[in-house]
Amino acid sequence: MTYRLPQEQMLPSLSLPLTFAHNRATMRTQTFSSEPKRGAGMQIQFLGAVQTVTGSMHMLTVNGKRILLECGMYQGRRAESFERNRHLPFDATQVDVLVLSHAHTDHSGCIPSLVKSGYNGNILATPATRDLCSIMLRDAGHIQEADAAYLNKKRKPGEPPIEPLYTQQDAIRSLENFVTLTYGRALSIAPGVTLTFFDAGHILGSAMICLDIEEKGEKRRLLFTGDLGRPGMPLLRDPYIPQDVDILLIESTYGDRLHGSTEENIARLRDVINQTHQRGGKVIIPAFSVGRTQYIIYVLHQLLAQEQIPSCPVYVDSPLSVNATEIFLLHPECYDEETRHFLMDTGSQSPFAFAGVHYVRDVKESKAINTLRGPAIIISASGMCETGRILHHLKNNIEDSRNTVVIVGWQAPYTLGRRLIEKQERVRILGEEYVRRADVQTLNAFSAHADRDELIGWFKAVQNPHLQHAFVVHGEASAPTALAAAMRELKAPLVTVPEPGQRVEL
Ligand SMILES: [Zn+2]
């Protein structure tokens, strides 16, 4: 079902006074090239997630104000990531306002660095995004501190100590800058610039950023998709179809690939659970804490309610996953119609609560899962099996042929998750080698990103005679160029795959 909110139903624009940035700290910053001229016309600079999928960051200059679209963390090789995330490519004190599409770290993870560098403006996000950032940024701060402590232990005499990129306290401090705005409500965020968030259908709170801009008497609508979800996914509303877009920034993560259908994927999960249960085995699901975990829990709830899988204990074993699920519970306004009907029909209080589901924060409780006999389903983080409690569950279950590991997300090369997908016979877990006897099943269609056909379908619906320029961002290798080619075939007027750091007059 497509969720649409026609422009005429939009609520009247509210005005929010701008808090202009002032210098709070004097961290060194680096720039790609000269700072954009404030007197010039509207322009955009593509600073991150350009021909790659991490570190989403674009700077829009309009009416002399600098509007930062996202402040994502770059995730790549350690040394390069550290440098890029520490030294933002602009002067943070000169940014007037930040708009955030959703809470994923590659879109929000450098917010504490931005605030630490002296930014004191507003950070506009949906309420659910703000709440997810509250746990995710703190978690990122904790990881940065733990990483720095680990590296300092290995430091050679005379080497300078390694400072964390930011701390949990820096993350908490940055939460003070958030101002929330619900979907479909218009808010003036800078002179001549009105912001409206629309459903992106990607994760809880995810939004497209729609800016209605008036500059020198000319009115234009700029739309940035953020990450675009899949239509027909459980829980969230479908991606919105905006009208009258003049300038479009579209993501292209899967611009050259297809996922397969959600229904088939759920049917395969059902079959895997049934077969493993018959063998008396356990189903182990490594899953990202925010989004994928809640999606799987809700699918299990639906399958149980329809008696398509047998009742057995389900463990959600990750403190971050448990915290994230609590945030999902706080935001029923983000659920789609189907979820609301499911809750009414089954008399359930929540998509994530059913007989047999256990949420585990405590380490002792987590260890107790290892001693359980008989069928169970264990969902744990991290999603790529690199860190976290999932490693203990894999270690304890990988050598038992009754068990199945179900991979539900993309696995980067050289990760344990990738080696499992490849069904390698021997795998190293926590420093020890194990013989993989458990079955491994890969279910690709649980992706929270639209695939090639869905991106093209969405673009077809959005394309209009006003469209002046489309920029394809957030995609790796051939994905952005493939999507750009498909858009040109649809007679899109001007489609650009920008270069990193490129600045374009609009
Ligand atoms: Zn995302």
Side-chain angles (χ1 to χ4, degrees):
M1 188 203 111
T2 303
Y3 169 74
R4 294 176 68 132
L5 182 68
Q7 287 303 303
E8 51 272 24
Q9 284 181 19
M10 270 174 35
L11 293 148
S13 169
L14 301 168
S15 193
L16 185 77
L18 278 170
T19 308
F20 290 105
H22 61 76
N23 213 340
R24 186 190 291 137
T26 51
M27 265 187 71
R28 188 162 69 86
T29 58
Q30 74 177 34
T31 51
F32 273 107
S33 57
S34 61
E35 289 282 314
K37 296 181 197 79
R38 283 188 178 248
M42 180 157 74
Q43 55 179 263
I44 190 159
Q45 190 178 15
F46 300 93
L47 297 168
V50 185
Q51 299 185 20
T52 182
V53 291
T54 73
S56 184
M57 199 182 283
H58 311 292
M59 184 76 81
L60 180 72
T61 306
V62 59
N63 290 327
K65 298 293 177 215
R66 290 198 182 111
I67 300 167
L68 184 60
L69 305 177
E70 318 224 271
C71 197
M73 184 177 280
Y74 179 81
Q75 294 151 308
R77 280 189 294 257
R78 183 184 280 268
E80 187 192 0
S81 302
F82 191 78
E83 277 308 302
R84 283 184 68 155
N85 293 322
R86 167 150 300 205
H87 304 302
L88 296 169
F90 48 78
D91 181 352
T93 66
Q94 297 299 307
V95 178
D96 294 297
V97 60
L98 167 61
V99 188
L100 179 62
S101 72
H102 68 290
H104 275 151
T105 307
D106 58 322
H107 296 255
S108 71
C110 274
I111 287 175
S113 301
L114 180 79
V115 174
K116 205 175 155 184
S117 304
Y119 176 71
N120 195 29
N122 294 321
I123 301 171
L124 277 305
T126 64
T129 293
R130 187 261 172 220
D131 289 348
L132 285 174
C133 279
S134 166
I135 55 167
M136 292 176 75
L137 294 180
R138 275 187 292 156
D139 188 64
H142 170 70
I143 291 169
Q144 300 297 333
E145 286 179 84
D147 276 2
Y150 174 78
L151 292 172
N152 279 329
K153 257 194 220 162
K154 297 190 147 198
R155 189 160 47 103
K156 294 192 182 98
E159 280 181 355
I162 288 158
E163 293 281 317
L165 186 60
Y166 54 81
T167 63
Q168 283 195 76
Q169 280 310 312
D170 294 326
I172 292 167
R173 167 64 195 88
S174 72
L175 294 171
E176 292 176 15
N177 292 52
F178 276 76
V179 173
T180 62
L181 180 67
T182 43
Y183 295 113
R185 305 190 75 99
L187 183 76
S188 171
I189 59 162
V193 184
T194 300
L195 164 69
T196 312
F197 286 128
F198 292 119
D199 271 295
H202 170 64
I203 61 161
L204 189 87
S206 66
M208 299 175 196
I209 297 171
C210 181
L211 298 176
D212 285 302
I213 298 166
E214 184 168 1
E215 190 182 51
K216 295 173 185 159
E218 191 184 3
K219 288 184 182 177
R220 283 186 288 178
R221 171 168 288 181
L222 181 146
L223 188 107
F224 173 35
T225 58
D227 286 353
L228 209 54
R230 307 190 69 190
M233 291 278 283
L235 203 64
L236 300 177
R237 288 184 289 263
D238 287 357
Y240 178 74
I241 308 292
Q243 307 295 310
D244 302 325
V245 176
D246 298 296
I247 299 155
L248 174 68
L249 272 67
I250 183 170
E251 70 118 325
S252 60
T253 314
Y254 290 96
D256 58 353
R257 275 167 291 170
L258 296 174
H259 292 318
S261 92
T262 304
E263 292 77 16
E264 273 172 34
N265 222 41
I266 292 172
R268 274 194 62 207
L269 179 67
R270 176 200 63 203
D271 295 346
V272 167
I273 290 170
N274 283 320
Q275 287 155 9
T276 310
H277 194 274
Q278 280 162 13
R279 296 196 296 261
K282 295 187 175 70
V283 175
I284 315 289
I285 309 178
F288 293 104
S289 296
V290 180
R292 202 65 49 90
T293 290
Q294 292 73 27
Y295 178 68
I296 299 286
I297 300 167
Y298 179 42
V299 167
L300 294 177
H301 190 176
Q302 287 177 310
L303 290 173
L304 278 163
Q306 295 155 4
E307 297 181 348
Q308 293 201 44
I309 55 171
S311 184
C312 73
V314 175
Y315 294 92
V316 181
D317 183 21
S318 148
L320 186 61
S321 302
V322 179
N323 291 341
T325 307
E326 286 185 348
I327 305 289
F328 274 64
L329 278 175
L330 282 175
H331 292 283
E333 79 279 7
C334 297
Y335 303 166
D336 64 6
E337 278 296 303
E338 289 86 343
T339 305
R340 290 177 201 205
H341 283 139
F342 173 78
L343 295 178
M344 270 197 289
D345 293 349
T346 57
S348 306
Q349 290 294 310
S350 144
F352 315 109
F354 51 88
V357 67
H358 306 274
Y359 289 91
V360 181
R361 277 201 182 91
D362 188 68
V363 176
K364 263 192 210 156
E365 269 184 70
S366 174
K367 286 182 178 165
I369 299 172
N370 298 333
T371 60
L372 280 174
R373 297 284 162 261
I377 299 172
I378 303 167
I379 306 165
S380 189
S382 75
M384 293 195 202
C385 315
E386 281 300 279
T387 56
R389 293 182 183 176
I390 190 65
L391 293 174
H392 296 275
H393 297 302
L394 288 171
K395 185 184 82 167
N396 288 313
N397 292 289
I398 197 87
E399 295 198 314
D400 187 336
S401 60
R402 292 173 302 172
N403 299 333
T404 310
V405 180
V406 179
I407 303 286
V408 293
W410 183 76
Q411 304 296 312
Y414 313 112
T415 58
L416 174 57
R418 177 63 73 96
R419 286 192 282 276
L420 289 171
I421 283 183
E422 290 166 354
K423 301 201 177 192
Q424 293 188 6
E425 279 182 23
R426 289 174 179 275
V427 284
R428 274 191 96 72
I429 306 172
L430 293 168
E432 293 210 16
E433 194 170 85
Y434 293 86
V435 178
R436 182 195 58 77
R437 294 196 186 91
D439 187 18
V440 179
Q441 292 291 325
T442 305
L443 305 180
N444 282 328
F446 284 122
S447 174
H449 283 272
D451 69 11
R452 183 196 68 197
D453 287 356
E454 289 157 352
L455 284 167
I456 293 170
W458 181 85
F459 175 71
K460 267 188 193 168
V462 169
Q463 201 186 8
N464 70 82
H466 302 273
L467 188 66
Q468 296 167 3
H469 205 154
F471 297 94
V472 183
V473 296
H474 202 286
E476 235 159 41
S478 60
T481 44
L483 181 63
M487 288 164 66
R488 287 186 196 109
E489 273 179 31
L490 292 168
K491 308 267 182 286
L494 188 55
V495 185
T496 303
V497 178
E499 295 295 322
Q502 187 179 345
R503 186 176 296 141
V504 178
E505 303 276 342
L506 299 168

